[in-house]
Amino acid sequence: GPRRPRPFVPVNSAALSEALLESQLFGHARGAFSGADRARPGLLAEAEVCRGRFRADLYYRLRVICLRVPPLRERMEDLPALAAHFLAAAAQGQAKELDPEALDRLLSHPWPGNVRELENEMRRVSLLSGPVVRPADLSPELSRATPRARLGDSRRAWEREALRSALEAAGGNKSEAARRLGYSRFGLRKKLRRVGLV
């Protein structure tokens, strides 16, 4: 037929979960989920919608929301809250917290493995550290990292903002904010005092 030279892109949507179908159609970045070892263009891109070979009205009917989530290295202000959340989840009820110097080492790392690398690091240290995670407890590439100059002040500001945001999202309810962050209510009060939010 007249479309013979154009790409034919088959997909068995019945055999795929909703999340996997979305990835197949719209593509994904490296590290977006388990097994995403490289970036992959979606089937819609392969069908060259920009060249008029895929119906634009169908494309826009399927493309409801397009979100760009920047990699962790571009939003280091999120790292203290993410690290605390992953550490609390991995510790399963044990009281664990990051020493300020250990957090400075985390903030100095470029995180090529993105948020998944941070999560795995927090799982590892939850098993191998005492109640306070110190620089020596971190993976070798992190424990040897040179902390950024005067990073403690920036870290406190980021932690303060993360706590303020959690409180705001919880409507001022400290118990709910603590639950969202993975802290006990007492642990949250202690952190609020430390960053001057009490």
Side-chain angles (χ1 to χ4, degrees):
R3 299 192 315 169
R4 180 175 59 227
R6 298 181 183 178
F8 177 72
V9 184
V11 59
N12 181 358
S13 59
L16 301 172
S17 68
E18 183 179 341
L20 195 52
L21 178 61
E22 181 181 341
S23 173
Q24 289 284 317
L25 291 175
F26 299 104
H28 58 259
R30 182 177 181 266
F33 53 85
S34 297
D37 57 350
R38 60 188 171 87
R40 182 181 186 286
L43 296 176
L44 296 182
E46 289 181 26
E48 295 158 17
V49 67
C50 293
R51 298 184 188 178
R53 295 181 181 178
F54 189 90
R55 286 182 49 183
D57 61 328
L58 176 57
Y59 173 75
Y60 288 111
R61 182 176 294 252
L62 294 172
R63 184 179 177 257
V64 178
I65 297 175
C66 184
L67 298 176
R68 180 187 180 270
V69 179
L72 183 57
R73 67 183 167 274
E74 292 179 16
R75 52 187 176 105
M76 293 299 277
E77 66 276 8
D78 292 347
L79 189 139
L82 285 169
H85 169 75
F86 291 141
L87 185 60
Q92 296 180 350
Q94 297 177 38
K96 296 252 184 188
E97 66 177 76
L98 286 164
D99 173 86
E101 190 179 341
L103 183 55
D104 286 350
R105 302 292 170 96
L106 296 179
L107 289 164
S108 301
H109 187 62
W111 299 104
N114 213 351
V115 176
R116 184 63 55 93
E117 182 185 2
L118 175 64
E119 181 179 12
N120 289 341
E121 182 66 20
M122 293 301 96
R123 283 182 179 171
R124 196 186 77 74
V125 297
S126 76
L127 296 171
L128 303 176
S129 72
V132 178
V133 177
R134 310 215 180 272
D137 298 322
L138 300 172
S139 295
E141 63 272 16
L142 293 167
S143 62
R144 290 191 303 262
T146 303
R148 298 176 187 175
R150 300 299 301 153
L151 200 53
D153 294 340
S154 298
R155 181 193 60 77
R156 180 165 284 131
W158 289 338
E159 188 173 25
R160 179 185 170 95
E161 179 58 26
L163 292 168
R164 190 197 61 70
S165 296
L167 278 169
E168 187 178 296
N173 183 319
K174 289 181 183 164
S175 296
E176 175 61 16
R179 188 192 65 74
R180 288 173 183 233
L181 292 169
Y183 299 144
S184 67
R185 186 176 165 83
F186 173 76
L188 178 66
R189 269 188 289 154
K190 183 176 158 186
K191 287 185 180 296
L192 291 172
R193 273 196 303 273
R194 190 173 75 204
V195 300
L197 283 176
V198 172

